[in-house]
Amino acid sequence: MEAEQSTKPSTVAKLKVGGAYSGVLEVELDVWTVPMLREEVAKRSNCDPMLINLICGGKVLKDGEGDKRLSDFGVKNNSKILATRVSAETIAAAERENIAEEERSRRLARIKAAADALAKRHADGSLPMENFNIELEDQSGQKVQLGSENDRQSVMMGLMLHANAKHLIKKENYKDALSVLEMGEEAFSLCDPKILAMVDNVPILQIDIVWCYFMLRDITKISSAGIRLVKARDGFQRSHGKDSSRFIVLQEGRHLELALYVRLELLEGVVAYHSGQFTKSKKALDSARDRYSQLQVPDEALSVLMSMGYKEREAKRALRINNQDVGRAIDFLVENKEKIARRVEEDIQRRNEIKEQKQYGMTPLKKAVDLKMLSNITALGFDKELAAEALRTNENDFQKALDDLTNPETCSVLQFHIDSRKFKRQKRKTDAAIEELVSMGFERSKVVEAMQMKGTKEEALDLLTSESILPDELNVAGDVNATTSAPQVSNGDLNEQNEVHAMEGPSEREIAFERDVEMEDEIAQELTGDPFADYDIEVAKEGEAITEYLALLESVQS
């Protein structure tokens, strides 16, 4: 079969070339590749092959097509080839653009992967490995508990991606923001629609997507923009109530939603204008202008609040959502300060709880020990450490943990697990101290013996650096090696010891190695915990756009 293929004559064709080189080339269509043709044209036109572009049938012939021959690109006998010469600057600019696009794609992939990893760790009850904990709150700062683990993970991921996109919007990086917003939309779509119907995060995300369309001046998305704005308005009506009545009641008469509706109605007006619906556009833009006027803060009122020590941004926010009423704005600022103080206390308490949970280790399914159940068991008189171990080994099952604690045999096994974990923790600490002392230039054997004698790195260092130290002093025998020797166990307990090690899960170092710590930290920093962040929009650009499109409408009508 191979012999038959090798003797088969190749198709010889004539190609009519024009442009940088004009003439006829004879080629074998089943043998020649694009680089071969490019090199031949470049040689005849006395030019670098890198500066030659080949176009056939309206398509640019690309080099990177594997083993494809000219016939695979549809090149035939008497085909016309246009050879154009490009400048070195153009080639360099294209390469820079390709590199930038590849970097952008990598960064977007990192953002999605980091948000996904954070959401999984903070939604399934696992112990967070970070120095923070992500929890869901409503506009009043109250904790929100969603039903399933999948719903919690989807909402968390959607919120994190949305927060990241808002940060990009503030930096006016609308192209990347749009990509991240679409990732967030995908994450929210995995959540139960009944849950999403009760919150306004998804409608706000729809508005932000259309805002990116607008700022990128992408008129091709006009149809998609209209559909998204209808979804946003319907979503607000479900979550805010008709004319925002429910939302205003929940916010004690305050108007947090004004800036959002300025942007929404501006975009509705823009979409209607470009769709030729001028009457509808005028109505939306007039309403947006009225709301925009309500958000303009009087200098006198702003001066009063700033003279009391409030910063300009927080003073403006307070006046805007309180209809420029100075008294109500002051009340709002005082209440908000108290809420922030309470949140800080709660965050400190939660961090302390996480620190305590880490001491108890993780369950076989990598979950944290439930501190509420632990409190209930210790209230019955059981030792806290034993109770935590019982919950850990039984996946936080209260009754099974209680059964183990009241059984002398299983209770002794629980105590062994505790001792084993303490030993491993101490051994890791001791090994780290030994490596640090060895790195200072001390002999390893002397360092090990010093640690066995003294137990702590500081005391071992004092012993090693003491001028009066005698060689025999480092050969003292006795019980001082308890910190580096394992608890005495029988052969039957070895499997249990290995099981405990497995239950502890991956080490902090292993987790840090697998994580994209830099990107996760970046995303976490964008989660401010500010319940008013979604509504606190500077509407200067919106005001300019309202004026611009009203002027366009006036010119159309005249």
Side-chain angles (χ1 to χ4, degrees):
M1 190 67 180
E2 292 179 0
E4 292 177 3
Q5 287 181 346
S6 62
T7 58
K8 183 181 177 181
S10 299
T11 305
V12 177
K14 292 182 178 181
L15 303 181
K16 298 175 182 178
V17 183
Y21 162 75
S22 295
V24 176
L25 291 179
E26 288 190 354
V27 302
E28 295 176 280
L29 297 177
D30 295 330
V31 175
W32 281 49
T33 62
V34 173
M36 290 168 66
L37 179 60
R38 185 190 307 282
E39 188 172 346
E40 182 64 26
V41 171
K43 183 171 68 174
R44 295 187 181 224
S45 59
N46 194 26
C47 176
D48 188 329
M50 292 294 294
L51 304 180
I52 292 292
N53 261 353
L54 301 175
I55 302 172
C56 180
K59 295 182 179 178
V60 177
L61 301 180
K62 300 285 188 181
D63 287 359
E65 299 288 345
D67 296 328
K68 282 190 175 183
R69 302 297 186 254
L70 293 178
S71 58
D72 297 323
F73 289 92
V75 179
K76 302 175 182 178
N77 185 37
N78 291 324
S79 287
K80 294 179 180 180
I81 304 291
L82 175 62
T84 60
R85 185 180 297 183
V86 296
S87 67
E89 291 77 10
T90 303
I91 295 291
E95 289 178 353
R96 287 195 298 270
E97 186 176 342
N98 288 336
I99 292 171
E101 187 59 30
E102 288 175 5
E103 177 58 32
R104 175 177 176 270
S105 297
R106 282 195 294 269
R107 179 172 174 78
L108 290 174
R110 287 179 62 203
I111 289 171
K112 185 175 183 179
D116 183 43
L118 281 169
K120 284 178 179 176
R121 289 204 298 275
H122 289 265
D124 65 357
S126 301
L127 273 172
M129 295 303 160
E130 304 82 2
N131 293 322
F132 55 84
N133 189 50
I134 300 172
E135 295 179 319
L136 302 176
E137 295 181 352
D138 59 21
Q139 286 86 2
S140 62
Q142 299 299 312
K143 298 289 186 296
V144 176
Q145 297 296 331
L146 300 178
S148 70
E149 180 181 316
N150 179 69
D151 288 337
R152 290 194 298 273
Q153 183 178 327
S154 300
V155 170
M156 278 189 177
M157 185 172 179
L159 291 175
M160 282 187 279
L161 291 169
H162 195 179
N164 182 265
K166 283 180 175 295
H167 181 69
L168 292 169
I169 288 172
K170 286 181 180 178
K171 293 167 65 176
E172 300 187 1
N173 185 353
Y174 300 107
K175 184 179 179 181
D176 286 359
L178 182 57
S179 297
V180 178
L181 286 168
E182 288 169 349
M183 293 179 198
E185 182 179 34
E186 182 184 353
F188 280 130
S189 71
L190 302 176
C191 185
D192 185 346
K194 293 179 181 178
I195 293 173
L196 294 180
M198 302 305 295
V199 297
D200 60 9
N201 301 93
V202 176
I204 294 173
L205 181 138
Q206 297 290 344
I207 293 174
D208 287 340
I209 288 176
V210 180
W211 181 249
C212 288
Y213 292 163
F214 177 69
M215 296 306 294
L216 291 168
R217 296 298 189 264
D218 191 348
I219 198 69
T220 64
K221 298 286 178 51
I222 195 73
S223 176
S224 171
I227 294 169
R228 290 184 181 282
L229 293 176
V230 169
K231 288 181 179 179
R233 188 167 281 281
D234 290 345
F236 283 146
Q237 186 151 340
R238 285 192 299 270
S239 58
H240 290 179
K242 189 176 181 181
D243 297 326
S244 301
S245 54
R246 183 189 305 128
F247 188 69
I248 293 171
V249 169
L250 288 173
Q251 295 301 326
E252 299 175 353
R254 298 185 176 110
H255 293 268
L256 268 72
E257 81 292 352
L258 274 178
L260 265 180
Y261 277 89
V262 168
R263 182 173 286 184
L264 171 61
E265 291 174 342
L266 160 65
L267 295 172
E268 288 174 333
V270 170
V271 169
Y273 175 83
H274 288 290
S275 303
Q277 299 172 296
F278 300 128
T279 303
K280 182 179 179 182
S281 176
K282 181 73 163 57
K283 182 180 179 181
L285 290 168
D286 283 342
S287 180
R289 181 175 58 184
D290 291 342
R291 294 182 192 271
Y292 175 76
S293 298
Q294 293 179 54
L295 291 170
Q296 302 314 299
V297 176
D299 291 340
E300 298 81 6
L302 181 61
S303 177
V304 169
L305 293 185
M306 292 184 67
S307 68
M308 297 174 67
Y310 295 108
K311 295 180 181 178
E312 181 180 359
R313 183 172 178 81
E314 62 180 339
K316 279 186 175 180
R317 172 196 277 186
L319 289 165
R320 282 172 177 165
I321 67 178
N322 287 284
N323 203 23
Q324 318 303 338
D325 186 312
V326 174
R328 285 175 57 84
I330 293 171
D331 292 340
F332 167 80
L333 289 165
V334 171
E335 290 172 16
N336 195 46
K337 186 176 181 180
E338 292 173 353
K339 285 180 181 178
I340 292 172
R342 283 199 300 271
R343 189 181 299 120
V344 169
E345 290 179 4
E346 290 170 1
D347 288 346
I348 293 172
Q349 181 181 350
R350 181 61 185 131
R351 281 198 295 270
N352 290 335
E353 288 176 353
I354 292 171
K355 187 176 179 181
E356 179 183 355
Q357 285 175 312
K358 285 183 178 180
Q359 292 177 350
Y360 302 137
M362 293 184 285
T363 72
L365 295 180
K366 309 303 180 190
K367 302 293 190 296
V369 170
D370 189 314
L371 295 183
K372 187 174 181 181
M373 286 190 186
L374 178 60
S375 177
N376 292 338
I377 292 181
T378 54
L380 299 175
F382 292 101
D383 176 75
K384 191 172 188 179
E385 208 168 16
L386 269 175
E389 184 60 22
L391 286 169
R392 187 189 72 78
T393 57
N394 288 288
E395 286 294 342
N396 289 313
D397 187 307
F398 183 88
Q399 189 55 53
K400 287 182 179 179
L402 207 58
D403 292 343
D404 281 354
L405 288 167
T406 53
N407 183 322
E409 186 175 339
T410 54
C411 193
S412 65
V413 173
L414 294 175
Q415 186 61 57
F416 162 73
H417 286 174
I418 293 171
D419 294 340
S420 295
R421 190 162 57 249
K422 283 181 178 178
F423 160 72
K424 290 196 200 74
R425 194 178 296 132
Q426 181 58 44
K427 188 175 186 304
R428 283 197 294 268
K429 185 178 178 182
T430 300
D431 289 346
I434 289 172
E435 294 304 321
E436 188 174 345
L437 291 172
V438 169
S439 68
M440 295 178 184
F442 295 108
E443 185 182 338
R444 180 176 294 275
S445 60
K446 301 296 184 184
V447 169
V448 171
E449 291 174 4
M451 283 295 298
Q452 289 175 348
M453 284 182 63
K454 298 298 183 180
T456 68
K457 182 183 70 177
E458 291 76 15
E459 291 179 341
L461 182 60
D462 289 342
L463 180 60
L464 290 165
T465 55
S466 173
E467 293 183 356
S468 60
I469 187 170
L470 298 175
D472 290 339
E473 283 186 275
L474 290 177
N475 293 318
V476 179
D479 294 331
V480 291
N481 62 350
T483 56
T484 56
S485 63
Q488 296 301 309
V489 295
S490 66
N491 290 336
D493 289 331
L494 289 177
N495 289 334
E496 291 184 21
Q497 185 174 1
N498 292 333
E499 183 183 354
V500 171
H501 180 73
M503 285 182 179
E504 288 184 345
S507 68
E508 297 267 349
R509 171 183 279 184
E510 290 169 336
I511 292 169
F513 177 77
E514 294 170 1
R515 290 169 49 203
D516 186 345
V517 178
E518 180 184 6
M519 184 55 69
E520 288 185 7
D521 287 348
E522 182 179 316
I523 290 174
Q525 287 170 8
E526 290 157 2
L527 299 172
T528 61
D530 181 358
F532 307 112
D534 284 336
Y535 313 100
D536 189 21
I537 302 173
E538 286 295 332
V539 290
K541 286 186 173 66
E542 286 82 351
E544 294 170 3
I546 291 167
T547 302
E548 175 189 349
Y549 274 86
L550 283 173
L552 287 172
L553 280 172
E554 187 176 344
S555 66
V556 168
Q557 292 170 349
S558 63

